[in-house]
Amino acid sequence: MLSVEQFITLGAIMFCIGLFGALTKRNIIIVLVSVELMLNAVNINLLAFARYGLMPSMNGQIFTLFAMTIAAAELAVGLAILISLYRNRNTSDVRDQDLMKW
């Protein structure tokens, strides 16, 4: 049986890896994957606190379901923006996407 400390440690490690990827990588796809990794780390912590918290209940699982839905919508919108930018500028480098005009 895993303890709450192990879940929190796993979530913190995953969040740090995602934060590092989002801040240091230049490819937009890697940045989107890093943001998804950070959201999954939050989901792990929500589920851990729902299971091992002071008052265990379904609230953490419900919040996790909402967070997964938001993550899926964020990924769909992000990929649509990425495809549009790539078609117009032929690059997926974050540094080249600094202007909003086409």
Side-chain angles (χ1 to χ4, degrees):
M1 188 66 124
L2 296 174
S3 66
V4 69
E5 292 86 11
Q6 292 170 325
F7 281 110
I8 292 172
T9 304
L10 175 65
I13 290 170
M14 285 177 57
F15 191 85
C16 289
I17 291 171
L19 185 64
F20 177 76
L23 294 177
T24 60
K25 300 301 177 187
R26 294 181 181 159
N27 191 336
I28 294 177
I29 295 174
I30 301 298
V31 172
L32 285 175
V33 169
S34 298
V35 170
E36 291 294 323
L37 188 63
M38 290 189 298
L39 287 172
N40 284 330
V42 170
N43 287 340
I44 287 175
N45 284 334
L46 283 173
L47 289 176
F49 285 121
R51 174 75 170 100
Y52 297 107
L54 293 176
M55 296 185 315
S57 65
M58 292 291 289
N59 290 340
Q61 294 173 359
I62 293 170
F63 285 138
T64 299
L65 185 61
F66 285 137
M68 288 170 53
T69 306
I70 291 170
E74 174 260 332
L75 185 63
V77 170
L79 286 176
I81 292 171
L82 172 66
I83 290 170
S84 175
L85 288 172
Y86 188 76
R87 284 183 181 170
N88 290 321
R89 297 193 183 161
N90 294 327
T91 184
S92 64
D93 194 354
V94 176
R95 293 176 300 169
D96 296 336
Q97 309 300 337
D98 59 349
L99 297 176
M100 294 300 287
K101 64 180 182 179
W102 300 102

